[in-house]
Amino acid sequence: MFQRTLTQLTVINSFVFFIIYFLSTSILYGYLSYRLFDRIDEAMRLHASEFRLANGQVVPLENPIFDPRIFVLIRSTDGRTLNPIPFRENELKNIDEITAASEVGELKTEEYEGHIYRMMRWPYTYQENIYGKAANFQIESIIVISIVDSEVQLLSNFLWLIVSGGIISVFGIILAGFLLAKRAMFPIQEAWEKQQQFVSDVSHELRSPLTGIYSNAELMLRYPDKSIRDECHRINTIMQESKRMTKLIASLLTLARSDSGKSDLSLVVINLSDVVNEVISHFEVFKELNHISLVAKIEANVEVVGDKDRLHQLMVILLDNAFKFTSAGGQVTVDCYIANKNAIISVRDTGVGIVPENISRIFDRFFRGDKSRSRNSGGTGLGLAIAKWIVEKHGGKIDVKSALGKGTNFIVSLPIPKKTSYIGTKEAAKK
């Protein structure tokens, strides 16, 4: 599938490069052609428009433009063509054949006997129109001719350069198109692999509780005469697996909403200290059950703009993680204070710690450092991924420091709003 997409993107990119090359060279060719012929055409127009007679003789131009390639001819009303400059007659011995097809007001280019001629025929508008009294030559129009061999040769060479350059650059264009397509495919392929891994992990995580529920339900059906008391351990297993599956689905729903951008937060000014204290009170029971010391150092009235429910969920995830990986006799310490215009939450434990190579992956979905232990404690591998999303949604950062066998410290930094926005949000929260 990716190979086909890569090929299609390469073709599209190469086609776009070809179009860009064609348009740019066409514009350059047109501009060069215009600049080459523009001055010649202007000089020809000047010669034609200012050509006039006085007493049957040619009057010199007021602002002459010397260009030996320009010839000025006159045509009579009866169709004769005459060169009024006798010393150039040898160069124009076939002038009638060259100018035969020219029309008044027309600018054209003709090739004749190996030379390229650019011709302009201009109507003669002056009152005195008899050239040479004896010849009785009545002027009808002026024909100006310029030899443009060098300009045409230059354009021809440039055109060949464009064509040959295009042929040679085909390989470069295709290579560039392929490299760009391959680079564009990296995030697509990475996202696809993550999706595949996500689907595989979800399937695996759901299979375990479903298998437990199905197996225990099947065993209960095999012995229909047994009482509820006899099957109470199986019923308890079914409830535990159902609870675990419900937690997993809730976590997946949260992440799905975060990915789609639909999980908007209700941001108001909240007392973060109260939220932290509330969550700590819920974990007092685990302190006694697991024989783990819980130390809290909470600075009063630490206020931030945030979603109270999501920040509550964040604290539950961090504390649950700390208790889960701390053995009996250990200690969990929670700090909440203000530092450097940020609200800081620190959850530190004296648990097993994290293997150094796993620290960069702990926020990945479904990642578990100790899979068997996490699964036995009811973990889904999604908690820290959700925690990171909550922190980032609040414009904060979450960092982790850990030493294997010594414990782990999660540090959350949330920005404190400026005074003006802080007051406005606080008033909105009161309403």
Side-chain angles (χ1 to χ4, degrees):
M1 181 185 72
F2 288 112
Q3 187 60 41
R4 182 179 178 184
T5 305
L6 180 63
T7 303
Q8 291 175 343
L9 284 176
T10 301
V11 172
I12 292 172
N13 289 339
S14 301
F15 178 75
V16 170
F17 281 133
F18 275 121
I19 293 296
I20 294 173
Y21 179 83
F22 174 76
L23 289 177
S24 59
T25 52
S26 297
I27 292 172
L28 188 60
Y29 181 85
Y31 177 75
L32 180 61
S33 176
Y34 169 77
R35 295 300 298 170
L36 285 174
F37 291 115
D38 182 54
R39 297 188 67 180
I40 294 175
D41 293 344
E42 187 60 32
M44 292 170 64
R45 289 190 189 95
L46 182 65
H47 279 81
S49 61
E50 293 191 6
F51 182 90
R52 65 188 182 89
L53 302 175
N55 299 321
Q57 299 299 318
V58 178
V59 178
L61 300 179
E62 294 181 4
N63 300 303
I65 299 176
F66 178 76
D67 190 334
R69 298 179 301 172
I70 295 179
F71 303 85
V72 179
L73 309 174
I74 54 178
R75 176 164 287 183
S76 65
T77 54
D78 58 1
R80 289 179 294 164
T81 301
L82 185 66
N83 177 15
I85 306 175
F87 71 87
R88 302 187 72 174
E89 285 184 349
N90 292 334
E91 299 177 37
L92 300 171
K93 57 184 178 180
N94 298 318
I95 194 64
D96 289 330
E97 295 181 26
I98 298 173
T99 62
S102 63
E103 300 291 338
V104 176
E106 183 182 32
L107 177 65
K108 63 187 300 184
T109 303
E110 293 283 346
E111 183 177 358
Y112 184 80
E113 292 186 354
H115 293 287
I116 308 297
Y117 297 93
R118 194 167 178 84
M119 293 179 289
M120 175 186 294
R121 186 173 173 184
W122 199 272
Y124 185 78
T125 57
Y126 294 99
Q127 191 171 12
E128 185 176 345
N129 61 354
I130 303 299
Y131 176 74
K133 300 296 184 179
N136 194 24
F137 192 96
Q138 186 176 357
I139 301 176
E140 181 259 343
S141 58
I142 310 299
I143 300 175
V144 182
I145 301 176
S146 176
I147 300 176
V148 290
D149 290 346
S150 59
E151 286 80 4
V152 172
Q153 184 63 39
L154 178 61
L155 284 176
S156 178
N157 292 340
F158 183 66
L159 183 61
W160 274 108
L161 181 65
I162 290 173
V163 173
S164 58
I167 294 173
I168 295 172
S169 62
V170 165
F171 299 102
I173 288 175
I174 293 176
L175 179 61
F178 172 76
L179 293 176
L180 282 177
K182 195 170 183 179
R183 185 174 181 180
M185 286 295 295
F186 282 145
I188 299 174
Q189 191 167 359
E190 185 178 358
W192 173 262
E193 290 173 355
K194 284 186 177 180
Q195 181 184 2
Q196 293 295 98
Q197 183 63 41
F198 181 76
V199 172
S200 175
D201 290 338
V202 169
S203 301
H204 181 73
E205 292 296 330
L206 288 174
R207 186 185 299 116
S208 180
L210 286 173
T211 302
I213 292 171
Y214 180 82
S215 300
N216 282 278
E218 185 180 23
L219 288 172
M220 289 172 64
L221 285 174
R222 288 184 182 180
Y223 307 101
D225 296 333
K226 287 188 176 182
S227 65
I228 293 178
R229 179 178 297 176
D230 296 333
E231 298 291 349
C232 128
H233 63 287
R234 301 195 190 282
I235 296 174
N236 182 61
T237 301
I238 291 174
M239 291 180 64
Q240 290 297 324
E241 293 296 339
S242 299
K243 183 180 177 181
R244 181 181 166 196
M245 191 162 61
T246 301
K247 182 180 177 182
L248 174 61
I249 292 172
S251 299
L252 289 172
L253 184 60
T254 299
L255 292 173
R257 286 176 177 171
S258 70
D259 290 341
S260 64
K262 295 180 180 179
S263 53
D264 295 329
L265 304 182
S266 178
L267 299 177
V268 295
V269 174
I270 62 171
N271 191 318
L272 186 62
S273 302
D274 291 344
V275 174
V276 175
N277 281 322
E278 181 183 351
V279 176
I280 288 174
S281 66
H282 295 163
F283 277 82
E284 290 290 340
V285 63
F286 295 103
K287 178 178 71 171
E288 298 179 6
L289 290 174
N290 300 336
H291 305 288
I292 296 173
S293 175
L294 177 58
V295 179
K297 300 175 183 178
I298 312 302
E299 185 177 311
N301 298 320
V302 176
E303 293 185 327
V304 297
V305 173
D307 187 307
K308 184 177 180 180
D309 293 335
R310 290 301 182 187
L311 291 176
H312 185 281
Q313 183 182 11
L314 169 66
M315 283 304 305
V316 170
I317 292 171
L318 295 180
L319 275 174
D320 180 62
N321 221 52
F323 274 92
K324 190 184 299 178
F325 293 100
T326 301
S327 304
Q331 179 176 298
V332 174
T333 305
V334 181
D335 297 318
C336 181
Y337 55 93
I338 294 176
N340 299 322
K341 298 181 181 180
N342 287 296
I344 308 297
I345 300 173
S346 171
V347 179
R348 185 170 64 256
D349 64 60
T350 58
V352 296
I354 305 172
V355 180
E357 55 266 27
N358 288 342
I359 291 180
S360 60
R361 302 181 56 198
I362 60 171
F363 295 107
D364 293 347
R365 299 175 184 183
F366 294 108
F367 177 78
R368 296 187 181 95
D370 187 346
K371 296 187 178 181
S372 61
R373 182 168 181 174
S374 297
R375 192 180 302 276
N376 292 334
S377 58
T380 62
L382 296 174
L384 290 178
I386 295 174
K388 183 180 180 182
W389 168 75
I390 293 173
V391 173
E392 290 178 347
K393 266 295 189 177
H394 284 80
K397 296 188 300 181
I398 182 169
D399 296 316
V400 58
K401 297 178 181 178
S402 184
L404 195 61
K406 294 183 179 181
T408 304
N409 185 15
F410 284 93
I411 304 170
V412 175
S413 175
L414 300 175
I416 295 178
K418 293 181 180 178
K419 198 73 175 177
T420 52
S421 59
Y422 172 81
I423 294 172
T425 314
K426 193 169 185 178
E427 289 176 352
K430 288 180 180 179
K431 294 179 182 179

Short mmCIF file of all heavy atoms in Angstrom, two decimals, residues 156-193:
data_model
loop_
_atom_site.label_atom_id
_atom_site.label_comp_id
_atom_site.label_asym_id
_atom_site.label_seq_id
_atom_site.Cartn_x
_atom_site.Cartn_y
_atom_site.Cartn_z
N SER A 156 17.70 30.57 -30.61
CA SER A 156 17.73 29.15 -30.97
C SER A 156 18.67 28.38 -30.04
O SER A 156 18.34 27.28 -29.57
CB SER A 156 18.19 29.00 -32.42
OG SER A 156 18.28 27.64 -32.78
N ASN A 157 19.84 28.96 -29.78
CA ASN A 157 20.78 28.31 -28.86
C ASN A 157 20.19 28.19 -27.45
O ASN A 157 20.37 27.17 -26.77
CB ASN A 157 22.08 29.09 -28.81
CG ASN A 157 22.85 29.03 -30.12
OD1 ASN A 157 22.61 28.13 -30.94
ND2 ASN A 157 23.74 29.98 -30.34
N PHE A 158 19.51 29.26 -27.04
CA PHE A 158 18.91 29.24 -25.70
C PHE A 158 17.81 28.18 -25.61
O PHE A 158 17.66 27.50 -24.59
CB PHE A 158 18.35 30.62 -25.37
CG PHE A 158 17.78 30.73 -23.99
CD1 PHE A 158 18.60 30.62 -22.87
CD2 PHE A 158 16.42 30.92 -23.79
CE1 PHE A 158 18.09 30.72 -21.59
CE2 PHE A 158 15.90 31.01 -22.52
CZ PHE A 158 16.73 30.92 -21.41
N LEU A 159 17.05 28.04 -26.70
CA LEU A 159 15.98 27.03 -26.74
C LEU A 159 16.56 25.62 -26.65
O LEU A 159 16.05 24.77 -25.91
CB LEU A 159 15.15 27.19 -28.01
CG LEU A 159 13.95 26.24 -28.16
CD1 LEU A 159 12.97 26.44 -27.01
CD2 LEU A 159 13.26 26.44 -29.49
N TRP A 160 17.64 25.39 -27.38
CA TRP A 160 18.29 24.08 -27.31
C TRP A 160 18.85 23.82 -25.90
O TRP A 160 18.83 22.69 -25.41
CB TRP A 160 19.42 24.00 -28.34
CG TRP A 160 18.93 23.58 -29.69
CD1 TRP A 160 18.82 24.34 -30.81
CD2 TRP A 160 18.47 22.27 -30.04
NE1 TRP A 160 18.30 23.61 -31.84
CE2 TRP A 160 18.08 22.32 -31.41
CE3 TRP A 160 18.32 21.08 -29.35
CZ2 TRP A 160 17.57 21.23 -32.09
CZ3 TRP A 160 17.82 19.98 -30.04
CH2 TRP A 160 17.46 20.05 -31.37
N LEU A 161 19.36 24.89 -25.30
CA LEU A 161 19.86 24.77 -23.92
C LEU A 161 18.74 24.37 -22.97
O LEU A 161 18.91 23.52 -22.09
CB LEU A 161 20.50 26.08 -23.49
CG LEU A 161 21.11 26.11 -22.08
CD1 LEU A 161 22.29 25.14 -22.01
CD2 LEU A 161 21.55 27.52 -21.71
N ILE A 162 17.56 24.98 -23.16
CA ILE A 162 16.41 24.65 -22.30
C ILE A 162 15.99 23.20 -22.50
O ILE A 162 15.75 22.46 -21.54
CB ILE A 162 15.22 25.60 -22.62
CG1 ILE A 162 15.53 27.01 -22.14
CG2 ILE A 162 13.94 25.10 -21.96
CD1 ILE A 162 14.49 28.04 -22.55
N VAL A 163 15.90 22.79 -23.78
CA VAL A 163 15.46 21.42 -24.09
C VAL A 163 16.46 20.40 -23.56
O VAL A 163 16.09 19.42 -22.90
CB VAL A 163 15.25 21.25 -25.60
CG1 VAL A 163 14.95 19.79 -25.94
CG2 VAL A 163 14.11 22.14 -26.09
N SER A 164 17.74 20.61 -23.87
CA SER A 164 18.76 19.66 -23.40
C SER A 164 18.86 19.66 -21.88
O SER A 164 19.02 18.61 -21.25
CB SER A 164 20.12 20.00 -24.01
OG SER A 164 20.50 21.33 -23.67
N GLY A 165 18.74 20.87 -21.27
CA GLY A 165 18.74 20.95 -19.82
C GLY A 165 17.56 20.22 -19.21
O GLY A 165 17.68 19.56 -18.17
N GLY A 166 16.40 20.32 -19.88
CA GLY A 166 15.21 19.61 -19.41
C GLY A 166 15.39 18.10 -19.47
O GLY A 166 14.99 17.38 -18.55
N ILE A 167 16.00 17.63 -20.57
CA ILE A 167 16.21 16.19 -20.72
C ILE A 167 17.20 15.68 -19.67
O ILE A 167 16.98 14.64 -19.03
CB ILE A 167 16.73 15.87 -22.13
CG1 ILE A 167 15.65 16.21 -23.17
CG2 ILE A 167 17.14 14.41 -22.25
CD1 ILE A 167 16.11 16.10 -24.61
N ILE A 168 18.28 16.46 -19.47
CA ILE A 168 19.28 16.04 -18.49
C ILE A 168 18.72 16.09 -17.06
O ILE A 168 19.00 15.23 -16.23
CB ILE A 168 20.54 16.94 -18.60
CG1 ILE A 168 21.21 16.71 -19.96
CG2 ILE A 168 21.52 16.66 -17.46
CD1 ILE A 168 22.35 17.67 -20.25
N SER A 169 17.88 17.12 -16.81
CA SER A 169 17.35 17.29 -15.45
C SER A 169 16.20 16.35 -15.12
O SER A 169 15.70 16.38 -14.00
CB SER A 169 16.89 18.74 -15.25
OG SER A 169 15.83 19.06 -16.15
N VAL A 170 15.77 15.54 -16.10
CA VAL A 170 14.69 14.58 -15.84
C VAL A 170 15.03 13.69 -14.65
O VAL A 170 14.22 13.48 -13.74
CB VAL A 170 14.40 13.73 -17.10
CG1 VAL A 170 13.56 12.51 -16.74
CG2 VAL A 170 13.67 14.56 -18.14
N PHE A 171 16.26 13.19 -14.67
CA PHE A 171 16.67 12.28 -13.59
C PHE A 171 16.72 13.01 -12.25
O PHE A 171 16.31 12.47 -11.22
CB PHE A 171 18.03 11.67 -13.92
CG PHE A 171 18.04 10.87 -15.18
CD1 PHE A 171 18.56 11.40 -16.35
CD2 PHE A 171 17.50 9.59 -15.21
CE1 PHE A 171 18.57 10.67 -17.53
CE2 PHE A 171 17.49 8.85 -16.38
CZ PHE A 171 18.02 9.39 -17.54
N GLY A 172 17.22 14.25 -12.28
CA GLY A 172 17.25 15.03 -11.05
C GLY A 172 15.87 15.35 -10.53
O GLY A 172 15.62 15.31 -9.32
N ILE A 173 14.94 15.66 -11.46
CA ILE A 173 13.57 15.98 -11.06
C ILE A 173 12.89 14.76 -10.46
O ILE A 173 12.21 14.84 -9.43
CB ILE A 173 12.78 16.52 -12.28
CG1 ILE A 173 13.27 17.92 -12.64
CG2 ILE A 173 11.28 16.52 -12.00
CD1 ILE A 173 12.65 18.50 -13.89
N ILE A 174 13.07 13.61 -11.11
CA ILE A 174 12.46 12.38 -10.59
C ILE A 174 13.05 12.02 -9.23
O ILE A 174 12.33 11.63 -8.31
CB ILE A 174 12.66 11.22 -11.59
CG1 ILE A 174 11.87 11.50 -12.89
CG2 ILE A 174 12.22 9.90 -10.98
CD1 ILE A 174 12.07 10.48 -13.98
N LEU A 175 14.37 12.19 -9.09
CA LEU A 175 15.01 11.91 -7.80
C LEU A 175 14.50 12.84 -6.71
O LEU A 175 14.19 12.41 -5.59
CB LEU A 175 16.53 12.04 -7.94
CG LEU A 175 17.35 11.79 -6.66
CD1 LEU A 175 17.13 10.37 -6.16
CD2 LEU A 175 18.84 12.06 -6.90
N ALA A 176 14.38 14.14 -7.06
CA ALA A 176 13.87 15.11 -6.09
C ALA A 176 12.42 14.78 -5.72
O ALA A 176 12.03 14.85 -4.55
CB ALA A 176 13.96 16.52 -6.65
N GLY A 177 11.62 14.40 -6.73
CA GLY A 177 10.24 14.01 -6.45
C GLY A 177 10.15 12.79 -5.56
O GLY A 177 9.31 12.73 -4.65
N PHE A 178 11.05 11.84 -5.78
CA PHE A 178 11.05 10.63 -4.95
C PHE A 178 11.45 10.94 -3.52
O PHE A 178 10.83 10.45 -2.56
CB PHE A 178 12.03 9.61 -5.56
CG PHE A 178 12.25 8.39 -4.69
CD1 PHE A 178 11.29 7.40 -4.61
CD2 PHE A 178 13.41 8.26 -3.95
CE1 PHE A 178 11.48 6.28 -3.81
CE2 PHE A 178 13.62 7.15 -3.15
CZ PHE A 178 12.65 6.16 -3.08
N LEU A 179 12.49 11.78 -3.36
CA LEU A 179 12.96 12.12 -2.00
C LEU A 179 11.89 12.89 -1.23
O LEU A 179 11.67 12.65 -0.04
CB LEU A 179 14.25 12.93 -2.08
CG LEU A 179 15.48 12.17 -2.61
CD1 LEU A 179 16.67 13.10 -2.73
CD2 LEU A 179 15.81 10.99 -1.70
N LEU A 180 11.23 13.82 -1.91
CA LEU A 180 10.15 14.57 -1.25
C LEU A 180 8.99 13.66 -0.88
O LEU A 180 8.39 13.79 0.20
CB LEU A 180 9.67 15.71 -2.16
CG LEU A 180 10.55 16.96 -2.22
CD1 LEU A 180 9.98 17.96 -3.20
CD2 LEU A 180 10.70 17.58 -0.84
N ALA A 181 8.65 12.75 -1.81
CA ALA A 181 7.56 11.82 -1.53
C ALA A 181 7.90 10.91 -0.36
O ALA A 181 7.06 10.65 0.50
CB ALA A 181 7.28 10.98 -2.78
N LYS A 182 9.16 10.46 -0.34
CA LYS A 182 9.57 9.58 0.76
C LYS A 182 9.54 10.32 2.09
O LYS A 182 9.13 9.76 3.11
CB LYS A 182 10.98 9.06 0.48
CG LYS A 182 11.37 7.87 1.35
CD LYS A 182 12.67 7.24 0.86
CE LYS A 182 12.99 6.00 1.70
NZ LYS A 182 14.24 5.36 1.23
N ARG A 183 9.96 11.59 2.05
CA ARG A 183 9.93 12.39 3.28
C ARG A 183 8.49 12.63 3.74
O ARG A 183 8.20 12.61 4.94
CB ARG A 183 10.63 13.72 3.03
CG ARG A 183 10.76 14.58 4.26
CD ARG A 183 11.59 15.81 4.00
NE ARG A 183 11.73 16.62 5.19
CZ ARG A 183 12.41 17.76 5.24
NH1 ARG A 183 13.03 18.19 4.16
NH2 ARG A 183 12.49 18.44 6.36
N ALA A 184 7.60 12.86 2.77
CA ALA A 184 6.19 13.06 3.12
C ALA A 184 5.56 11.79 3.66
O ALA A 184 4.59 11.85 4.43
CB ALA A 184 5.42 13.56 1.90
N MET A 185 6.10 10.64 3.27
CA MET A 185 5.52 9.36 3.70
C MET A 185 5.92 9.00 5.12
O MET A 185 5.24 8.19 5.76
CB MET A 185 5.97 8.25 2.74
CG MET A 185 5.29 8.27 1.38
SD MET A 185 3.53 7.95 1.51
CE MET A 185 3.55 6.27 2.13
N PHE A 186 7.01 9.58 5.62
CA PHE A 186 7.47 9.22 6.97
C PHE A 186 6.39 9.40 8.02
O PHE A 186 6.09 8.48 8.77
CB PHE A 186 8.73 10.02 7.33
CG PHE A 186 9.98 9.48 6.70
CD1 PHE A 186 11.01 10.33 6.29
CD2 PHE A 186 10.15 8.11 6.51
CE1 PHE A 186 12.16 9.83 5.69
CE2 PHE A 186 11.30 7.60 5.93
CZ PHE A 186 12.30 8.46 5.52
N PRO A 187 5.80 10.62 8.14
CA PRO A 187 4.75 10.76 9.18
C PRO A 187 3.53 9.91 8.92
O PRO A 187 2.89 9.43 9.86
CB PRO A 187 4.41 12.26 9.12
CG PRO A 187 4.88 12.72 7.78
CD PRO A 187 6.05 11.88 7.45
N ILE A 188 3.20 9.69 7.63
CA ILE A 188 2.04 8.86 7.30
C ILE A 188 2.29 7.42 7.73
O ILE A 188 1.43 6.78 8.37
CB ILE A 188 1.74 8.93 5.79
CG1 ILE A 188 1.42 10.36 5.38
CG2 ILE A 188 0.60 8.00 5.41
CD1 ILE A 188 1.26 10.56 3.89
N GLN A 189 3.46 6.91 7.37
CA GLN A 189 3.80 5.53 7.73
C GLN A 189 3.92 5.37 9.24
O GLN A 189 3.47 4.36 9.80
CB GLN A 189 5.12 5.14 7.05
CG GLN A 189 5.43 3.65 7.14
CD GLN A 189 6.55 3.25 6.19
OE1 GLN A 189 7.09 4.08 5.47
NE2 GLN A 189 6.91 1.99 6.21
N GLU A 190 4.50 6.39 9.89
CA GLU A 190 4.63 6.33 11.35
C GLU A 190 3.26 6.32 12.01
O GLU A 190 3.01 5.56 12.96
CB GLU A 190 5.45 7.52 11.84
CG GLU A 190 5.74 7.49 13.32
CD GLU A 190 6.59 8.65 13.77
OE1 GLU A 190 6.98 9.48 12.91
OE2 GLU A 190 6.87 8.76 14.98
N ALA A 191 2.35 7.18 11.50
CA ALA A 191 0.99 7.22 12.06
C ALA A 191 0.27 5.90 11.83
O ALA A 191 -0.46 5.41 12.71
CB ALA A 191 0.21 8.37 11.43
N TRP A 192 0.48 5.31 10.65
CA TRP A 192 -0.16 4.03 10.34
C TRP A 192 0.36 2.93 11.27
O TRP A 192 -0.43 2.13 11.79
CB TRP A 192 0.11 3.67 8.88
CG TRP A 192 -0.35 2.29 8.51
CD1 TRP A 192 0.41 1.16 8.44
CD2 TRP A 192 -1.69 1.89 8.19
NE1 TRP A 192 -0.35 0.09 8.07
CE2 TRP A 192 -1.65 0.49 7.91
CE3 TRP A 192 -2.89 2.56 8.08
CZ2 TRP A 192 -2.79 -0.22 7.55
CZ3 TRP A 192 -4.03 1.84 7.72
CH2 TRP A 192 -3.97 0.48 7.47
N GLU A 193 1.67 2.92 11.47
CA GLU A 193 2.25 1.90 12.36
C GLU A 193 1.75 2.08 13.80
O GLU A 193 1.48 1.09 14.50
CB GLU A 193 3.77 1.98 12.30
CG GLU A 193 4.34 1.50 10.98
CD GLU A 193 5.84 1.73 10.87
OE1 GLU A 193 6.40 2.35 11.79
OE2 GLU A 193 6.44 1.30 9.86
#
